[in-house]
């Protein structure tokens, strides 16, 4: 026998493999692979089965590639920023762009603060502990209490990361500041691989943030300086303008990284930050007793800058034809910014020497470090071309008080801009009010809007003993709506309390305080009912000490002990003339900040966002709006501010791409609607301007009838049993044609000053008709005493198709509801006008 046979079955031989070992299969992996293949092939099969085009597959693949490319670019920017923070010198030597360099490289008066960065790095673990405590003990209970659906909300992980906040430069102001305060500007950057995970157990929903980038200028004010320890009375912190922010999402919120949504999500986050940390909002940390820092909670602006945006000359022609062979002109418009307030002028078509003649008013809270920034652009269908920029130090404007000059545009070979700048001082007495009213012609008309004669500053503190609202023994969700004329603002919502504390500041530009009133209403956001209101004539402030009222006001139509605590101050806006020698001549070259071109490009263009697509936005503007006649010295009746809700606040945002923010332009704005001016016909809301232009084209040398825009028939009455205002839209007649096929009209209504989306009412769209019949009924939940203080805003609009350009205003009417016949009701025809301010009733 062979040797192999002599050995036992296990001697020297490999152990026998168990039966079936060669055929073992990873069943779970195979099923997962089959599921992935099925998920990929199912859409293709479905498209073929339904007979749809193969282009849908290509579209889906293109979207997938776009999403992956966008996430890759975001990760690249994060790595670049981390590399810069870890080894700044090496990164600079490798050739960092100028816009990525720290602030101290550009500005000689900005100093490095490595000692401060080392201190922050050493404190960072304890700062992280504080942030985690803030999330778990403050933010988490607040979110849970905001809505019953969020009762199971919780943070499962809060890790801010190991990379500390970095301060790239510090600037200390030593000139033109109060001796009892210290002002510092910190150029901060935070690039953190943080992990913040949240969960809503009730809906099995998980989401979170993977990394955050924040870059901006934070101002720290130490005031007042005192002679006792701790030497500083309080610490105030805020951003001068909205910071640049970029967020990488995880979990369910990863959908927010899709191109198109990422900018929207960043904008929402920025709006939240702005409500707390962007000027004029601030965080104040008291270091001494509350009495000594009471004035810090009630900040009064340093002044008001009135900007006359007049004209430009010798601009560059950016439009070309025949692939650049023929040079054309430009369609210039201007973007003006003062701090966080942004205004946009009207576009002047085909003109290298445009004349705007527009006026804007901006609040100035912190003029050391703030500038007037102006950029001109040529409007194009795709990307707007840059026509020049200008920056003026507001300290110089305050010194001169009045500047009326031509300024050469920077960063372009030619072009100049004509501006008239007025620095208005806030006076705490009414001795010069009559002269101011005469100067702005407010004593000759009954308008509530126009050039401002005064400024109303309101500090909303708290309320006590509010009623329960509709449900007995249930706490309301109170908010406060404040209005002066047609200008309205709204406080934040405080949830589940009848003694809310707001501590918010509001400002109103006042045309004539002798005839205008402040109306305040406390509402329950959950049930949309009134909890009380009050009306304060502004003339009372004129006779009060220091034109200020600080007290608890008794609410009407509320509980017996329901009060609202507010501090209200009125300040007259006066242009003080400087005492000058007869031979004094100031230079037209106003001092400009030492900012590099790269640094200045990160400006208004990276801060602008898409305005609402129609005039139905719910955002209240920050400045008064009026249109006036083309004839000099003759003003029209005031255009209600709600006719064009586009305000400075709507335009502010940060670019979602930090890298692209240095070179982007307003080309990404879907609807470039200008900010209405205060005193020029050309600055009326764009829809009204287009409507007037269409009227002129229809007239074409002929005389139109008394109702050139047509009429609308309405039935208006108040139902005391239902406690509702009932409006029936019957029909329209003789509307203007928006196209060759006629118009596609519908009716939109608001009960002013409420411009929120929940307060909007709309009829159906009637296709291709100039005499539509609607016969639709709408109601507004409002009491009879309250509705008599309101105005019904009715607009007839052209719908057009999807992505159609034939959308716009067909006519408008503003119906006052102060009539005693409102309980009985009436049915009438109303003439439609361009702005609704002069409706004619047709019986």
């Amino acid at each position: 026998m062979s040797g192999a046979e002599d050995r036992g079955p296990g001697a020297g031989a490999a152990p026998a493999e168990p039966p079936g070992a060669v055929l073992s299969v990873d069943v779970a992996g195979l099923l997962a692979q089959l599921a992935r293949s099925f998920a990929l092939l199912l859409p293709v099969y479905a498209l073929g089965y339904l007979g749809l085009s193969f282009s849908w597959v290509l579209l889906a693949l293109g979207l997938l590639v776009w999403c992956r490319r966008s996430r890759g670019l975001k990760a690249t920017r994060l790595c670049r920023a981390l590399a810069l923070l870890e080894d700044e010198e090496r990164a600079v030597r490798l050739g960092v762009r100028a816009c990525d360099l720290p602030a101290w490289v550009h500005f000689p008066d900005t100093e490095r603060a490595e000692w401060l960065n080392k201190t922050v790095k050493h404190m960072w673990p304890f700062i992280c502990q504080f942030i985690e405590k803030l999330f778990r003990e403050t933010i988490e209970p607040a979110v849970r209490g905001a809505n019953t659906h969020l009762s199971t909300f919780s943070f499962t992980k809060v890790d801010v990361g190991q990379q500390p906040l970095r301060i790239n430069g510090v600037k200390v102001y030593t000139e033109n500041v109060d001796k009892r305060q210290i002002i510092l500007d910190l150029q901060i950057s935070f690039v953190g691989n943080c992990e913040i995970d949240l969960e809503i157990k009730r809906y099995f929903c998980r989401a979170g943030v993977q990394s955050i980038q924040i870059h901006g200028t934070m101002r720290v004010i130490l005031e007042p300086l005192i002679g006792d320890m701790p030497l500083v009375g309080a610490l105030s912190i805020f951003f001068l303008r909205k910071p640049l922010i970029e967020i990488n999402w995880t979990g369910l919120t990863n959908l927010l990284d899709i191109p198109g949504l990422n900018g929207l999500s960043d904008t929402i986050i920025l709006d939240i930050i702005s409500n707390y940390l962007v000027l004029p909002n601030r965080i104040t940390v008291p270091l001494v007793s509350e009495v000594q820092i009471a004035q810090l909670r009630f900040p009064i602006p340093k002044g008001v800058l009135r900007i006359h945006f007049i004209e430009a000359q010798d601009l560059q022609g950016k439009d070309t034809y025949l692939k650049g062979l023929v040079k054309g002109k430009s369609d210039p418009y201007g973007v003006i910014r003062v701090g966080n307030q942004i205004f946009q002028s009207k576009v002047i078509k085909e003109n290298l020497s445009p004349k705007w003649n527009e006026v804007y008013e901006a609040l100035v809270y912190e003029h050391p470090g703030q500038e007037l920034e102006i950029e001109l652009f040529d409007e194009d269908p795709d990307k707007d071309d840059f026509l020049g920029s200008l920056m003026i130090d507001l300290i110089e404007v305050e010194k001169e008080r009045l500047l009326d000059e031509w300024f050469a545009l920077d960063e372009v070979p030619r072009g100049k801009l004509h501006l008239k700048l007025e620095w208005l001082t806030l006076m705490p007495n009414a001795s010069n009010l009559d002269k101011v009213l005469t100067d702005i012609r407010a004593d000759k008309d009954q308008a509530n809007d126009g050039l401002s004669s005064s400024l109303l500053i309101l500090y909303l503190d708290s309320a006590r003993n509010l009623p329960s609202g509709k449900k007995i023994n249930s706490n309301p969700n109170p908010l406060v709506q404040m209005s002066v004329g047609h200008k309205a603002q709204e406080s934040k919502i405080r949830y589940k309390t009848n003694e809310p504390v707001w501590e918010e500041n509001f400002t109103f530009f006042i045309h004539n305080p002798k005839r205008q009133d402040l109306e305040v209403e406390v509402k329950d956001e959950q049930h949309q009912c009134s909890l009380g209101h009050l009306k304060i004539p502004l003339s009372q402030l004129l006779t009060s000490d220091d034109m200020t009222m600080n007290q608890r006001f008794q609410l009407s139509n509320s509980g017996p002990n329901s009060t609202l605590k507010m501090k209200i101050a009125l300040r007259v806006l006066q242009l003080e003339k400087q005492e000058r020698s007869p031979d004094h001549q100031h230079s037209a070259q106003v001092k400009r900040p030492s900012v590099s071109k790269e640094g200045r490009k990160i400006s208004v263009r990276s801060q602008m966002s898409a305005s609402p697509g129609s005039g139905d936005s719910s955002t209240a503007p920050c400045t008064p709006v009026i249109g006036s006649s083309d004839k000099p010295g003759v003003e029209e009746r005031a255009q209600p501010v709600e006719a064009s809700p586009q305000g400075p606040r709507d335009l502010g945002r940060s670019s979602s791409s930090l890298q692209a923010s240095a070179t982007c332009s307003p080309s990404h704005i879907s609807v470039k609607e200008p900010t209405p001016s205060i005193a020029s016909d050309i600055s009326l809301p764009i829809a009204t301007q287009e409507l007037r232009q269409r009227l002129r084209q229809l007239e074409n040398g002929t005389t139109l009838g008394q109702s050139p825009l047509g009429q609308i028939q309405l039935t208006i009455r108040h139902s005391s049993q239902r406690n509702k205002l009932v409006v029936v839209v019957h029909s329209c007649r003789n509307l203007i044609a928006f196209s060759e096929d006629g118009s596609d009209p519908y009716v939109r209504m608001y009960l002013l000053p409420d411009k929120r989306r929940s307060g909007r009412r709309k009829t159906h769209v009637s296709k291709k008709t100039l005499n539509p019949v609607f016969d639709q009924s709408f109601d507004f939940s409002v009491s009879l005493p309250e509705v008599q203080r309101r105005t019904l805003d009715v607009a007839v609009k052209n719908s057009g198709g999807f992505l159609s350009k034939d959308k716009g205003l067909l006519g408008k009417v503003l119906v006052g509801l102060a009539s005693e016949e409102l309980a009985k009701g009436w049915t009438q025809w109303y003439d439609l006008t361009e702005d609704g301010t002069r409706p004619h009733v047709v019986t």
Side-chain angles (χ1 to χ4, degrees):
M1 297 179 64
S2 63
E5 295 174 349
D6 294 336
R7 293 190 295 266
E17 296 181 356
V22 179
L23 301 177
S24 63
V25 178
D26 184 5
V27 179
L30 180 61
L31 290 177
Q33 182 64 32
L34 288 175
R36 284 194 293 268
S37 302
F38 180 75
L40 291 174
L41 295 177
L42 180 61
V44 180
Y45 173 77
L47 290 174
Y49 181 79
L50 297 175
L52 300 177
S53 172
F54 186 73
S55 59
W56 287 101
V57 178
L58 298 179
L59 181 62
L61 291 175
L63 182 61
L64 180 62
V65 172
W66 189 18
C67 292
R68 289 186 175 180
R69 181 176 179 272
S70 177
R71 291 182 63 84
L73 291 175
K74 186 175 288 188
T76 302
R77 291 193 297 271
L78 179 63
C79 293
R80 286 178 53 246
L82 285 172
L84 179 63
L85 291 177
E86 291 174 358
D87 194 346
E88 184 177 332
E89 183 178 357
R90 179 175 177 273
V92 171
R93 289 181 178 179
L94 290 177
V96 180
R97 296 182 311 160
C99 61
D100 290 328
L101 290 175
W104 55 267
V105 176
H106 297 302
F107 309 106
D109 52 353
T110 301
E111 305 173 10
R112 295 190 66 177
E114 284 305 310
W115 64 271
L116 191 54
N117 287 319
K118 293 176 182 178
T119 304
V120 172
K121 184 176 181 180
H122 189 73
M123 295 173 57
W124 189 247
F126 304 95
I127 296 175
C128 293
Q129 292 178 18
F130 167 75
I131 294 175
E132 182 176 0
K133 185 178 179 181
L134 177 68
F135 271 77
R136 297 193 185 278
E137 298 183 4
T138 304
I139 299 178
E140 185 175 302
V143 174
R144 285 183 174 181
N147 195 296
T148 55
H149 298 287
L150 300 175
S151 58
T152 58
F153 174 90
S154 64
F155 288 102
T156 57
K157 185 177 183 180
V158 179
D159 182 8
V160 187
Q162 302 299 319
Q163 190 67 41
L165 176 79
R166 181 170 179 81
I167 300 171
N168 294 324
V170 178
K171 180 177 181 179
V172 182
Y173 289 90
T174 58
E175 298 179 357
N176 302 304
V177 296
D178 192 340
K179 292 182 179 181
R180 297 192 63 187
Q181 67 176 192
I182 298 174
I183 300 179
L184 302 93
D185 282 351
L186 308 181
Q187 307 288 336
I188 65 169
S189 294
F190 176 66
V191 184
N193 288 320
C194 60
E195 291 186 40
I196 302 175
D197 298 330
L198 58 92
E199 181 182 21
I200 305 176
K201 295 181 180 179
R202 181 176 178 179
Y203 299 104
F204 305 99
C205 173
R206 294 184 178 181
V209 175
Q210 188 176 10
S211 64
I212 298 178
Q213 290 193 60
I214 300 177
H215 306 269
T217 301
M218 176 175 286
R219 173 156 292 185
V220 179
I221 300 180
L222 307 175
E223 68 169 335
L225 301 180
I226 56 179
D228 299 321
M229 294 300 293
L231 301 180
V232 177
L235 176 71
S236 298
I237 302 173
F238 54 89
F239 284 100
L240 288 173
R241 62 190 63 169
K242 290 185 178 181
L244 299 177
I245 186 170
E246 185 168 319
I247 300 174
N248 280 343
W249 304 94
T250 60
L252 182 63
T253 50
N254 198 37
L255 295 174
L256 297 177
D257 270 334
I258 296 176
L261 290 181
N262 56 354
L264 178 62
S265 63
D266 292 349
T267 303
I268 295 174
I269 299 296
L270 272 177
D271 289 340
I272 295 173
I273 294 175
S274 299
N275 288 335
Y276 293 95
L277 272 177
V278 177
L279 197 69
N281 303 301
R282 63 187 70 195
I283 292 179
T284 301
V285 181
L287 303 178
V288 294
S289 64
E290 197 72 23
V291 178
Q292 292 174 286
I293 64 155
Q295 66 273 18
L296 300 180
R297 296 189 183 274
F298 190 65
I300 294 181
K302 298 291 191 301
V304 171
L305 181 65
R306 182 175 291 161
I307 307 162
H308 297 260
F309 192 64
I310 303 175
E311 59 182 323
Q313 285 186 2
D314 197 25
L315 299 179
Q316 289 181 290
K318 292 289 186 177
D319 295 340
T320 58
Y321 307 95
L322 299 177
K323 295 185 177 181
L325 296 178
V326 179
K327 288 282 187 180
K329 296 183 178 180
S330 294
D331 305 324
Y333 69 92
V335 177
I336 305 162
R337 183 173 74 182
V338 178
N340 203 37
Q341 303 161 87
I342 302 181
F343 312 90
Q344 179 176 322
S345 75
K346 183 173 176 59
V347 178
I348 305 297
K349 298 291 185 180
E350 296 289 331
N351 199 327
L352 298 181
S353 297
K355 294 184 178 181
W356 292 282
N357 294 318
E358 297 188 349
V359 184
Y360 303 102
E361 292 175 342
L363 297 173
V364 181
Y365 281 89
E366 299 288 337
H367 56 286
Q370 275 196 306
E371 300 88 21
L372 168 64
E373 304 178 37
I374 301 177
E375 291 184 315
L376 301 184
F377 296 96
D378 167 37
E379 185 189 47
D380 286 322
D382 48 1
K383 182 180 179 181
D384 294 353
D385 297 316
F386 181 63
L387 295 177
S389 65
L390 178 68
M391 290 185 72
I392 301 176
D393 196 333
L394 294 185
I395 294 179
E396 300 298 318
V397 180
E398 183 187 15
K399 291 179 180 178
E400 296 291 341
R401 302 293 179 182
L402 175 63
L403 285 175
D404 188 355
E405 300 181 9
W406 286 90
F407 298 91
L409 295 173
D410 295 332
E411 304 181 54
V412 287
R414 69 173 190 268
K416 56 183 180 179
L417 181 64
H418 184 194
L419 299 174
K420 180 181 178 182
L421 305 177
E422 298 175 347
W423 180 272
L424 305 178
T425 305
L426 276 61
M427 307 299 293
N429 57 75
S431 58
N432 295 319
L433 178 60
D434 292 335
K435 181 179 182 302
V436 173
L437 293 175
T438 303
D439 292 341
I440 65 172
R441 301 187 181 93
D443 57 339
K444 296 181 180 180
D445 57 40
Q446 300 296 321
N448 289 329
D449 297 287
L451 293 178
S452 302
S453 66
S454 53
L455 183 71
L456 180 68
I457 307 133
L458 187 152
Y459 176 68
L460 178 63
D461 188 278
S462 59
R464 285 184 182 175
N465 303 317
L466 294 179
S468 300
K470 287 189 176 181
K471 290 187 178 181
I472 301 176
N473 298 327
S474 66
N475 288 328
N477 297 339
L479 62 89
V480 180
Q481 291 180 343
M482 296 144 288
S483 62
V484 178
H486 292 298
K487 298 182 288 292
Q489 298 189 51
E490 192 173 278
S491 73
K492 300 184 181 69
I493 302 171
R494 293 294 180 256
Y495 294 95
K496 304 297 181 183
T497 177
N498 61 355
E499 295 197 353
V501 177
W502 287 283
E503 295 184 341
E504 295 182 54
N505 292 301
F506 302 91
T507 55
F508 292 90
F509 283 103
I510 305 300
H511 183 58
N512 189 342
K514 294 183 176 180
R515 289 199 293 259
Q516 293 183 267
D517 302 322
L518 169 66
E519 297 187 13
V520 182
E521 182 179 14
V522 185
K523 301 187 73 173
D524 182 4
E525 188 272 339
Q526 184 176 5
H527 300 105
Q528 291 297 312
C529 63
S530 177
L531 301 177
H533 65 84
L534 64 93
K535 184 176 182 180
I536 304 174
L538 297 184
S539 56
Q540 290 185 8
L541 289 166
L542 297 176
T543 57
S544 302
D545 293 339
D546 199 31
M547 292 202 297
T548 302
M549 299 175 67
N550 185 10
Q551 65 186 67
R552 286 196 171 273
F553 296 88
Q554 180 68 41
L555 293 174
S556 303
N557 295 333
S558 186
N561 299 316
S562 299
T563 59
L564 186 67
K565 185 179 181 181
M566 297 187 299
K567 183 177 180 180
I568 312 170
L570 189 70
R571 294 293 182 263
V572 177
L573 302 180
Q574 181 179 350
L575 177 62
E576 294 182 329
K577 296 183 179 180
Q578 290 283 73
E579 296 293 335
R580 305 186 185 279
S581 60
D583 58 345
H584 173 79
Q585 292 183 351
H586 63 267
S587 171
Q589 297 297 323
V590 176
K591 176 184 176 182
R592 295 176 173 83
S594 55
V595 184
S596 68
K597 289 186 177 182
E598 288 294 328
R600 288 173 60 176
K601 285 181 181 178
I602 308 177
S603 57
V604 179
R605 286 173 284 169
S606 64
Q607 295 288 329
M608 294 185 63
S609 67
S611 62
S614 68
D616 298 338
S617 168
S618 62
T619 307
C622 300
T623 56
V625 181
I626 183 175
S628 68
S629 171
D630 288 331
K631 298 178 182 180
V634 180
E635 292 190 5
E636 280 189 12
R637 182 177 174 178
Q639 166 69 17
V641 78
E642 285 79 12
S644 178
Q646 175 70 26
R649 187 182 308 172
D650 304 326
L651 291 170
R653 68 155 293 209
S654 166
S655 170
S656 61
S657 170
L658 301 181
Q659 183 177 0
S661 64
T663 55
C664 67
S665 74
S667 59
H668 63 277
I669 301 176
S670 59
V671 180
K672 291 190 283 284
E673 184 171 341
T675 307
S677 163
I678 300 173
S680 69
D681 174 73
I682 201 171
S683 62
L684 285 172
I686 187 65
T688 305
Q689 284 296 315
E690 292 176 350
L691 191 56
R692 288 189 171 183
Q693 183 178 3
R694 195 174 296 111
L695 270 178
R696 287 193 290 267
Q697 293 173 354
L698 290 174
E699 185 175 3
N700 196 20
T702 64
T703 302
L704 297 176
Q706 293 183 351
S707 306
L709 297 180
Q711 298 170 336
I712 183 172
Q713 187 183 32
L714 302 173
T715 294
I716 304 174
R717 67 181 179 88
H718 186 271
S719 173
S720 57
Q721 294 179 347
R722 300 168 57 194
N723 203 29
K724 291 184 177 181
L725 175 71
V726 181
V727 181
V728 182
V729 182
H730 294 288
S731 60
C732 300
R733 63 188 181 189
N734 302 326
L735 299 178
I736 62 173
F738 224 91
S739 63
E740 296 179 356
D741 298 328
S743 299
D744 299 334
Y746 70 93
V747 179
R748 184 272 298 148
M749 292 183 293
Y750 283 115
L751 190 59
L752 300 181
D754 186 6
K755 293 277 289 184
R756 294 178 297 174
R757 181 173 294 274
S758 61
R760 181 174 62 186
R761 306 291 187 268
K762 290 173 61 176
T763 67
H764 65 264
V765 178
S766 294
K767 295 290 186 179
K768 299 180 181 179
T769 177
L770 303 182
N771 300 284
V773 176
F774 300 103
D775 287 329
Q776 288 184 252
S777 178
F778 304 92
D779 56 65
F780 299 86
S781 297
V782 59
S783 64
L784 182 59
E786 180 185 352
V787 76
Q788 291 180 335
R789 304 193 305 271
R790 302 288 195 92
T791 301
L792 183 64
D793 178 357
V794 182
V796 183
K797 295 190 171 186
N798 186 65
S799 174
F802 181 64
L803 297 179
S804 171
K805 295 182 179 179
D806 294 332
K807 295 183 180 181
L809 183 67
L810 293 174
K812 190 174 182 180
V813 60
L814 294 174
V815 183
L817 302 176
S819 173
E820 296 180 356
E821 302 294 326
L822 186 60
K824 298 179 181 180
W826 63 78
T827 300
Q828 290 178 346
W829 285 93
Y830 293 89
D831 285 349
L832 296 172
T833 62
E834 303 96 331
D835 51 22
T837 55
R838 295 180 305 277
H840 301 285
V841 179
V842 183
T843 57

